[in-house]
Amino acid sequence: AVVLNTVLAIAELGLPVKATGWLCLAENMPSGTAQRPSDVLAVYGGKTVEVLNTDAGGRLVMADGLAAASEEAPDVLIDVATLTGAQMVALGSRVGAVMGDDGARDAVKAAAGRAGELFWPVPLPDELRPSLDSQVADLANMGEKFGGIMPPAVFLREFVGEVRGERIPWAHLDIAGPAFNEGTAYGYTPKEGTGMAVRTLLAYAEDVAARAR
């Protein structure tokens, strides 16, 4: 919903940027063909993933989207997801997390500050990657259990592609808590779905347009 409405807003405002939205959607329903622990799945682009936790399915869909979007060789990739319960544990229900490459992460954080949305930059230490190693696949869908907001982002980073040998600049926004307001309305934030990150991404697009002038 955030990605769709951001692209629609960019179009309505006539911003001179090219923005493509990839909607990584799937029905989370049980069936005889549902994934099981120990399954090995092939993600779009060819990498394989061992399923250790079937509840960590959203990142599998996101992996497909990141790999597919990378084929368009964008200047930057920004993904948004209600990805982890750990985001709510770490930052509560009103503050989102932003992770990724330093330049993209910092640019998103700056845009969020101007847009009036709360995002906190979270590091992605290199030592987290080995925790995703698998004996039967390229990587597993679960890693280090502590600092649980970070290993899923490290997982997603594995599917960001390259352009001319350089990884595409990438930022990951985890909005698990702020995406839905179970309390009373406050400021411009309504009850229920909040639209968290639309303002930030729109401000980021405005920054890109301003630099291009």
Side-chain angles (χ1 to χ4, degrees):
V2 168
V3 170
L4 173 61
N5 281 284
T6 298
V7 173
L8 292 174
I10 289 172
E12 186 171 339
L13 291 172
L15 295 182
V17 298
K18 179 181 179 182
T20 302
W22 290 76
L23 307 185
C24 306
L25 309 175
E27 251 189 335
N28 191 8
M29 298 289 287
S31 77
T33 57
Q35 61 178 335
R36 297 173 173 83
S38 79
D39 279 354
V40 174
L41 308 178
V43 173
Y44 183 86
K47 286 188 178 180
T48 55
V49 178
E50 179 186 7
V51 176
L52 297 181
N53 185 338
T54 56
D55 190 43
R59 67 197 64 175
L60 301 177
V61 183
M62 296 289 291
D64 278 336
L66 287 168
S70 294
E71 292 185 347
E72 295 194 349
D75 296 318
V76 64
L77 262 176
I78 302 176
D79 76 69
V80 189
T82 53
L83 199 65
T84 67
Q87 181 275 317
M88 292 180 276
V89 174
L91 297 174
S93 60
R94 295 193 182 187
V95 181
V98 57
M99 294 159 266
D101 302 323
D102 291 350
R105 181 199 63 206
D106 293 347
V108 169
K109 175 67 172 65
R114 288 191 297 278
E117 292 191 316
L118 297 174
F119 276 95
W120 188 259
V122 177
L124 296 179
D126 291 339
E127 64 266 23
L128 290 176
R129 176 57 185 85
S131 73
L132 293 166
D133 285 346
S134 166
Q135 297 185 45
V136 296
D138 292 319
L139 68 166
N141 77 332
M142 293 293 292
E144 168 66 53
K145 65 179 179 179
F146 297 111
I149 194 172
M150 296 182 287
V154 174
F155 175 89
L156 293 181
R157 184 173 62 189
E158 291 290 306
F159 301 94
V160 177
E162 296 182 349
V163 175
R164 294 183 292 277
E166 297 288 336
R167 191 174 66 204
I168 298 165
W170 161 76
H172 161 63
L173 280 62
D174 192 337
I175 59 169
F180 197 85
N181 177 24
E182 295 182 343
T184 58
Y186 58 94
Y188 57 72
T189 301
K191 283 180 61 66
E192 301 183 344
T194 65
M196 173 67 165
V198 172
R199 289 171 179 258
T200 293
L201 294 179
L202 192 57
Y204 178 87
E206 289 172 339
D207 291 344
V208 171
R211 289 196 299 269
R213 291 195 182 103

